[in-house]
Amino acid sequence: MPDHKRTLSESSANGSFVDYHDHSPTTPEELRGWYSLNCAVNGFSAVSLAVFMPLVTESFATSVAVQTQNWSLKCDTSIEGYDCMMPVGGGWYNTTDFVKYCHTFAVFIELVLFLPIGTWADFGNNRKRLLGIMGLAAALSSIIILAAFTYKAVALVFVCSILISVFYGLYIVCWASYLPILIAYSPGVRDQKSDVGQIRLSEKIASLVSAKGLASGYFAGTSLLVLLLGLAAYLGDGHAYGLPHQYALQIGVAFTGVVYILIYNFYGKTRLKERPGPPAPTDKNFLVLGVERTFETVSQLSKLPQIMLLLVSSFFSAAAYNTMASIAVHTAQSVLHVDTVYVIACAVIVNLFAGLGSLFFAWFKQRVNWSEKKLLMALNLIYSIVPLYIIIGLMPIPFGMKSALELPVIGVLHGALLGATQSNYRVLLCELYPQGLEAQYFALYEFTNLLANTIMPPIVDQVNKAAGNERYGFIPILLCFYVSYTAMKFISIKAGIQQAKVFSPEEHFRERLAKKLEKKKKKKDIKIKTSSFRLQSMRPNDSKGPLSAMLSGIIDGKNFFPETSDESDSESKSGQELQSPTSIDKTQKEDVSPDKIEEIKETSQE
């Protein structure tokens, strides 16, 4: 874990050595504010993006579509395996494919903006400012969807869906980048005197804080999902009110935006500190700086092999568990013929146990004293059981996801491992990233996961189409878990910490500051030696008499009174050179009486 105890930053304007960081210790109140902001935004992921918006967009798409086999007939979603086409611009597109295209377009925008936003968030107060802007934009996009009173507003629905996805992803980058800073300024970490003790305590605290942050979000999202599902069931079909069929779900999406605005403004905003970084360069605008730093970060990866291994492991792990969830839902609906309500109930189970799983494995890690690396290796191996169990269903046996009753059990295991895996990958990143580039490397981490979620589903679809059975699609998912485990096995945390220091702007600045202080110290030592030399050169010659001896004694810091054996001896030496105190043997020194002191003073005056 990087050391922020003496974190310094350099002004890009004048190159002066200035500390721009807030070194105040992390308080429980600040941690609660950080937790609350994940609770506030989790409604977008657990409710809007995961459940409600796919149903709303599909409903609006099919409302303006026609059947592929007979374009004179409107699309009928009650037909099993319906296939419909919708007009978009000057062409016609399959409704399901168009929904996927919109999702892909949102992902493309996120991939373009993740790293520049991460770069900008590391400067000044931009981290908290961007956090608020992205959250507010996602909330407003959720509320605006209420304006879609008729099916003619299909374009508005798709635009809102894209904006919610983009702004939520950018929000998570800024929110997650607070984690290493909050840990570094924890009172216990700051009090550690040794690097080893600091790293161990930082890892322990980071594991608990990350788990609590994710758990609070999952619990809030689960509660909100259950509440809004009940509201949607109570309101019923929107056609009864002259509104679109899924308008009750649109109300639920808008409600998540209102919840975010209330929690952010009245709780989280006032408790989470700015935690600023160095000021942004004034000679470069946002886009230029973002592009330059993005290429710089990517070029650094070849010299940061431990972070590269972490990103590879995270890429394959995210590709596996995210794709597995979506394919499992599709398989359950097409093979087991479960309805939407049952799928939503399983989604509630997944979210609930994701929160519980993150807390349980954080406790388990402390109990058995495992490192993040060892725990993540174990999580990937356990996770591989899920796709392996579904693949077994190819055999003529009565289990292997062949009944609807198996889905909740799979959901419990998937949820428990999901929360723990996400939490511990972030904690491990906190140990390996170059200090001072928090948002930039967390943006790179989220970029990697999002890229995995984009690439893996088409690969699985091609495997399913080639094999003619959706269970074969879980074979590449199983392989992804094993690749993730292998990459994690080769990570050296100790080497990664040392490699990160090479590219840490804070570490570079600290070294330069240390050299500057050392140079100042040397100059000071030279001045002291010069002054001492001048003082020595000003010392009078001992041959000038008793006064010279006294001055010599004062300069040497010793007794400036010459010692004499008796009165006759001092008279015999009158007018002659008095013996310096330094030339008298220490064994012959005696205490000087007051009478002798007066006599010596009179002699000195003469």
Side-chain angles (χ1 to χ4, degrees):
M1 184 74 64
D3 176 18
H4 288 265
K5 291 169 67 176
R6 297 178 298 278
T7 304
L8 300 173
S9 299
E10 183 177 5
S11 171
S12 59
N14 54 21
S16 59
F17 295 93
V18 184
D19 186 356
Y20 293 98
H21 293 267
D22 179 3
H23 294 279
S24 60
T26 303
T27 62
E29 192 74 5
E30 186 177 11
L31 287 176
R32 284 193 291 269
W34 187 68
Y35 298 152
S36 69
L37 293 181
N38 195 34
C39 294
V41 80
N42 211 263
F44 299 141
S45 61
V47 178
S48 299
L49 298 176
V51 181
F52 284 12
M53 284 308 298
L55 297 175
V56 171
T57 52
E58 183 73 16
S59 174
F60 270 80
T62 55
S63 66
V64 296
V66 296
Q67 296 182 22
T68 303
Q69 303 299 328
N70 189 346
W71 285 29
S72 62
L73 298 177
K74 294 191 65 175
C75 181
D76 186 1
T77 57
S78 63
I79 301 175
E80 183 177 353
Y82 66 89
D83 185 10
C84 300
M85 304 290 289
M86 64 178 293
V88 179
W92 290 81
Y93 297 89
N94 180 275
T95 54
T96 303
D97 290 341
F98 187 74
V99 172
K100 291 181 180 180
Y101 295 153
C102 290
H103 174 70
T104 303
F105 182 67
V107 170
F108 174 77
I109 297 176
E110 291 178 64
L111 292 175
V112 171
L113 293 179
F114 264 9
L115 292 177
I117 291 294
T119 295
W120 199 248
D122 282 325
F123 291 105
N125 297 327
N126 291 335
R127 191 189 319 275
K128 187 174 181 180
R129 185 181 295 115
L130 289 172
L131 183 74
I133 292 174
M134 298 307 165
L136 179 61
L140 293 178
S141 301
S142 302
I143 296 173
I144 290 174
I145 201 172
L146 290 176
F149 295 112
T150 65
Y151 287 117
K152 294 181 180 180
V154 59
L156 176 64
V157 171
F158 278 97
V159 170
C160 288
S161 175
I162 292 172
L163 292 179
I164 294 172
S165 177
V166 170
F167 289 126
Y168 167 75
L170 297 174
Y171 177 95
I172 289 298
V173 169
C174 299
W175 177 83
S177 66
Y178 263 98
L179 177 61
I181 300 176
L182 295 175
I183 303 307
Y185 289 116
S186 297
V189 176
R190 291 166 60 88
D191 296 338
Q192 291 293 316
K193 297 182 179 179
S194 66
D195 292 339
V196 176
Q198 188 180 67
I199 292 173
R200 289 179 178 175
L201 184 59
S202 297
E203 183 180 342
K204 180 179 180 181
I205 297 176
S207 180
L208 294 174
V209 171
S210 178
K212 289 180 180 179
L214 282 178
S216 61
Y218 276 118
F219 291 151
T222 303
S223 302
L224 196 59
L225 179 59
V226 173
L227 174 65
L228 294 178
L229 284 173
L231 177 63
Y234 174 77
L235 295 176
D237 195 336
H239 289 162
Y241 308 95
L243 297 169
H245 171 58
Q246 301 286 11
Y247 198 79
L249 299 184
Q250 294 174 234
I251 295 176
V253 171
F255 189 80
T256 62
V258 175
V259 168
Y260 170 80
I261 292 175
L262 292 176
I263 294 178
Y264 177 80
N265 286 286
F266 293 100
Y267 192 87
K269 180 181 179 180
T270 58
R271 285 162 174 78
L272 190 64
K273 299 178 183 178
E274 295 283 355
R275 300 294 181 183
T282 57
D283 58 338
K284 297 178 182 178
N285 60 37
F286 164 73
L287 292 177
V288 173
L289 180 64
V291 172
E292 288 183 357
R293 293 288 293 271
T294 297
F295 281 105
E296 181 182 345
T297 301
V298 174
S299 64
Q300 287 176 358
L301 290 178
S302 61
K303 301 177 182 179
L304 293 170
Q306 306 309 317
I307 288 187
M308 178 69 82
L309 287 172
L310 170 64
L311 294 177
V312 169
S313 178
S314 174
F315 175 90
F316 283 98
S317 183
Y321 60 68
N322 284 320
T323 307
M324 180 177 64
S326 60
I327 300 300
V329 169
H330 189 269
T331 302
Q333 290 179 320
S334 60
V335 177
L336 303 180
H337 305 291
V338 298
D339 56 15
T340 304
V341 176
Y342 195 84
V343 172
I344 294 176
C346 291
V348 171
I349 293 175
V350 170
N351 283 322
L352 177 62
F353 277 88
L356 294 175
S358 61
L359 294 176
F360 169 77
F361 280 102
W363 169 84
F364 176 79
K365 174 180 171 294
Q366 306 299 332
R367 184 79 175 182
V368 299
N369 197 26
W370 278 9
S371 65
E372 300 297 332
K373 171 185 173 180
K374 190 172 183 179
L375 180 59
L376 284 169
M377 290 171 62
L379 289 172
N380 277 292
L381 286 181
I382 299 173
Y383 231 144
S384 65
I385 295 175
V386 178
L388 183 61
Y389 179 79
I390 298 175
I391 293 172
I392 291 176
L394 291 169
M395 301 171 63
I397 52 179
F399 56 88
M401 207 178 85
K402 291 188 175 181
S403 70
L405 296 177
E406 296 174 86
L407 291 180
V409 178
I410 295 175
V412 168
L413 181 60
H414 168 58
L417 296 172
L418 175 65
T421 302
Q422 292 176 337
S423 175
N424 285 280
Y425 268 113
R426 287 175 178 171
V427 173
L428 186 56
L429 180 61
C430 288
E431 299 182 37
L432 300 179
Y433 82 100
Q435 180 184 338
L437 302 175
E438 292 85 6
Q440 194 166 343
Y441 273 84
F442 270 90
L444 182 61
Y445 168 77
E446 297 295 339
F447 174 92
T448 304
N449 289 352
L450 189 62
L451 188 64
N453 300 342
T454 306
I455 295 176
M456 192 63 182
I459 295 176
V460 173
D461 286 341
Q462 293 300 319
V463 173
N464 290 338
K465 291 179 180 179
N469 190 321
E470 294 188 353
R471 293 183 186 273
Y472 284 98
F474 289 92
I475 294 178
I477 293 175
L478 177 65
L479 295 177
C480 282
F481 281 123
Y482 291 148
V483 173
S484 177
Y485 168 85
T486 304
M488 182 61 61
K489 186 176 181 180
F490 288 101
I491 292 179
S492 172
I493 298 178
K494 185 177 179 179
I497 294 174
Q498 296 301 320
Q499 292 166 4
K501 289 183 178 180
V502 177
F503 295 95
S504 170
E506 303 291 357
E507 196 69 30
H508 291 171
F509 178 74
R510 190 176 295 118
E511 291 176 358
R512 290 159 59 189
L513 180 60
K515 291 179 180 179
K516 186 174 182 178
L517 293 176
E518 184 66 24
K519 185 180 294 185
K520 286 184 177 181
K521 184 179 179 182
K522 288 181 179 180
K523 288 182 179 180
K524 186 176 180 181
D525 291 342
I526 292 174
K527 288 182 179 180
I528 293 174
K529 291 180 179 179
T530 304
S531 300
S532 177
F533 174 77
R534 289 175 179 175
L535 189 59
Q536 292 287 346
S537 64
M538 292 172 61
R539 176 178 293 180
N541 195 331
D542 288 347
S543 63
K544 292 183 180 181
L547 181 59
S548 301
M550 286 188 293
L551 291 175
S552 177
I554 293 172
I555 294 173
D556 293 337
K558 301 179 180 179
N559 187 357
F560 58 85
F561 297 116
E563 299 182 10
T564 57
S565 58
D566 52 33
E567 186 176 351
S568 59
D569 189 42
S570 64
E571 291 177 353
S572 63
K573 293 183 179 180
S574 177
Q576 300 178 1
E577 177 181 321
L578 292 178
Q579 193 174 12
S580 173
T582 57
S583 65
I584 301 176
D585 186 36
K586 294 182 180 180
T587 59
Q588 298 177 354
K589 287 186 178 181
E590 298 178 355
D591 294 336
V592 181
S593 64
D595 294 337
K596 289 185 177 182
I597 293 175
E598 293 297 330
E599 183 180 351
I600 294 171
K601 286 183 178 180
E602 293 175 1
T603 306
S604 301
Q605 291 174 359
E606 293 176 0

